[in-house]
Amino acid sequence: MKGFLAIYLREVFLLRKRLFKVLLSFSVNPFLYILAFGIGLGKHLSIMGRPYLEFLIPGLISASSMLQAFAINVEINVARFYLKVFEEFQSAPISPLSYALGEVLSGVTRAFLSVLIIIVLGYLLGGVKLNFSGIFFLVVFLNAFIFASLGLASAMSIKAHADQTLITNFIITPMMFLGGTFFPVENLPPLIKPLIEILPLTLVSKTLRAIAFGEEFYYQNILILAIIAMLCFFIAIITIKKAKD
Amino acid sequence: MSNVALDIKDLKKKYGSLFALKGISFQVYRGELFSLLGPNGAGKTTTLRIISGLTAPSSGNIYIFGKSLFTEEIWAKNKIGLVPQQINLDLELTVEENLFIHGLLFKMSLKEIKKRITELLEMADLLDRKKSKVKELSGGLRRRLLIIRALMHSPEILLLDEPTVGLDPHIRRKIWSFIKTIQASGTTIILTTHYMEEAEALSDRVAFINKGEIIAIDTPSNFVKKLGNFAIDIYSNNGIVTHFFKNKEEAEEALLKFSQKYPYVSLRKVNLEDVFIKLTGERV
Ligand SMILES: Nc1ncnc2c1ncn2[C@@H]1O[C@H](COP(=O)(O)OP(=O)(O)OP(=O)(O)O)[C@@H](O)[C@H]1O
Ligand SMILES: [Mg+2]
């Protein structure tokens, strides 16, 4: 278990050194979205019988926890290609599982920081108060776990840092825009809709919204997310084993 | 108890179509300082990387105190400390934090970690830099930190890949005595270096490696003796030609003859660098 702790604490030390900068950068995008879309554009708009801003906040939470969890790939790339500290982990007596757990949980930690910022900003800027319950944060956790695992797996599979941008531009950014962050997926044309429906992020934003609004939702969704999380974590572990030259 | 610490058997490593190691074998004894010497690209780093689990070999076997490295990987990694050729410290973290993380990676208890950090910082004369970020340290201090980081978990075998590259002569000598202290505490050490005077000063035995093959293994003094004790360098437009002699009388006689023919000639003692040039310089 100490192996996992070493990896996790290293990321926490690094995070702590630039906490102020990190929190600031986590705030910029949500701040702009809340101001521009939520308040500027959405002032007189309502979706599903609610002010647009209330619709937007759970969407931003799911998108942001995805982005910030996935962003651990940047830290890992730096450790692997620039600092070469990754070799220090490879020569240590720790299992790929410990390594993966340490990195993924550091991604989850980042995701939670960004989510807290959105909740605070939503309240301060728009007075939004929703039902942020334990089960809400469980879904956030699973979402972050999935995308941190994918961030880790992608960092392990690439041969150079430049390849990383490709993955982010082609998978993560489209998902953020289409996965129910800014508008209900129901509005999409019937041809695209089924494709978007099966994205994990769509499932997350729908579930988060339902919980935040105090509505009924399918408990099976949580089970499905947990299974996807396990699967992604498993893939990450395999890519770690393959990262040896 | 066998006195062999490390036993390498027919180790091969292929990168694409290139054989970085063509089947090398050697043994390192307990408490010994063993040096791997050879030109750039000979396969020294590849060998050390395989021993420390960073690179997978194509074939061959490695035994650490009699146990296979590949079947007892976790056990073996605890016995080995690696000082890599390329510095791989966390630049944004402090000296202390770098050592702390290493201690956790090697499953040491918090109490052990604390004690060992103080001990090693003292040994390396780094105690006053404990809270400095690594990026604020000079190259020499970073090298020293890199060495003590590898010592955190008290490995029985220490692998040093060019530990003094790019350092001034004062610091280099400091690191030499540091390495000797580590050896005196019972640690088996494998060293690679391009500085022949370093290998000569430190090594109990040396192995010459060229193009992925071991060409000779012996003590530094035996290598020198085999070549002769005295050398005459003749400088000309075509480079330096060196002649070797068993004793001083022969050498002085030859010196007289050569100096009539060539403008620049000099007599000196044979050293390990002569052996290196002789063994690895032959064109194929
Ligand atoms: N990851 C790699 N991929 C492909 N080839 C490699 C890789 N690592 C090393 N090599 C090749 O293997 C050979 C041995 O390299 P190695 O780094 O072991 O040499 P070395 O003896 O340490 O040299 P130096 O004294 O320059 O450090 C070289 O030809 C090198 O180009
Ligand atoms: Mg090398």
Side-chain angles (χ1 to χ4, degrees), chain B residues 45 85 161-162:
Chain B
T45 297
Q85 181 169 358
D161 200 351
E162 300 193 31

Side-chain angles (χ1 to χ4, degrees), chain B residues 178-229:
Chain B
F178 190 45
I179 293 173
K180 273 293 177 197
T181 327
I182 298 165
Q183 188 192 10
S185 73
T187 311
T188 306
I189 300 175
I190 304 177
L191 171 85
T192 83
T193 178
H194 286 293
Y195 303 107
M196 290 304 121
E197 80 279 17
E198 177 166 306
E200 207 162 355
L202 296 177
S203 322
D204 297 309
R205 286 190 306 146
V206 305
F208 285 95
I209 173 169
N210 196 11
K211 298 188 182 114
E213 282 173 306
I214 299 247
I215 26 189
I217 302 180
D218 211 334
T219 63
S221 61
N222 278 348
F223 270 125
V224 168
K225 251 188 251 153
K226 272 188 249 168
L227 207 55
N229 287 311

Side-chain angles (χ1 to χ4, degrees), chain A residues 88-109:
Chain A
E88 159 87 344
F89 309 148
Q90 282 182 309
S91 65
I94 61 166
S95 60
L97 179 103
S98 300
Y99 174 72
L101 202 60
E103 292 290 9
V104 167
L105 288 185
S106 84
V108 170
T109 306

Side-chain angles (χ1 to χ4, degrees), chain A residues 200-242:
Chain A
L201 190 67
T202 312
L203 190 65
V204 170
S205 59
K206 272 189 175 173
T207 311
L208 282 184
R209 222 163 248 140
I211 300 170
F213 296 166
E215 292 165 1
E216 294 278 303
F217 69 98
Y218 293 117
Y219 274 89
Q220 294 94 303
N221 288 359
I222 293 181
L223 191 69
I224 294 171
L225 287 174
I227 292 170
I228 298 176
M230 300 283 263
L231 211 71
C232 293
F233 190 64
F234 184 68
I235 293 171
I237 290 177
I238 292 175
T239 57
I240 293 168
K241 288 185 186 162
K242 293 218 162 123

Side-chain angles (χ1 to χ4, degrees), chain B residues 126-268:
Chain B
L126 271 171
L127 211 47
D128 54 329
R129 305 308 299 268
K130 189 163 146 179
K131 304 270 180 210
S132 308
K133 283 189 181 179
V134 172
K135 68 173 178 192
E136 295 159 5
L137 300 185
S138 70
L141 293 187
R142 287 183 197 190
R143 280 281 162 198
R144 249 189 279 174
L145 175 59
L146 197 67
I147 298 176
I148 60 171
R149 186 186 66 180
L151 292 173
M152 265 305 280
H153 60 286
S154 312
E156 289 172 51
I157 299 176
L158 182 65
L159 311 174
L160 297 167
D161 200 351
E162 300 193 31
T164 65
V165 70
L167 301 181
D168 76 42
H170 298 290
I171 297 181
R172 170 166 305 140
R173 257 147 249 269
K174 247 188 196 167
I175 291 189
W176 287 4
S177 72
F178 190 45
I179 293 173
K180 273 293 177 197
T181 327
I182 298 165
Q183 188 192 10
S185 73
T187 311
T188 306
I189 300 175
I190 304 177
L191 171 85
T192 83
T193 178
H194 286 293
Y195 303 107
M196 290 304 121
E197 80 279 17
E198 177 166 306
E200 207 162 355
L202 296 177
S203 322
D204 297 309
R205 286 190 306 146
V206 305
F208 285 95
I209 173 169
N210 196 11
K211 298 188 182 114
E213 282 173 306
I214 299 247
I215 26 189
I217 302 180
D218 211 334
T219 63
S221 61
N222 278 348
F223 270 125
V224 168
K225 251 188 251 153
K226 272 188 249 168
L227 207 55
N229 287 311
F230 293 90
I232 294 179
D233 295 318
I234 301 170
Y235 296 77
S236 74
N237 294 339
N238 308 325
I240 308 171
V241 178
T242 309
H243 295 267
F244 299 101
F245 302 91
K246 276 272 167 273
N247 56 54
K248 203 165 182 174
E249 288 76 44
E250 274 177 47
E252 278 171 342
E253 210 174 291
L255 182 70
L256 224 63
K257 269 207 314 235
F258 286 137
S259 52
Q260 286 161 2
K261 249 168 101 184
Y262 304 97
Y264 301 108
V265 235
S266 74
L267 173 67
R268 60 176 175 80

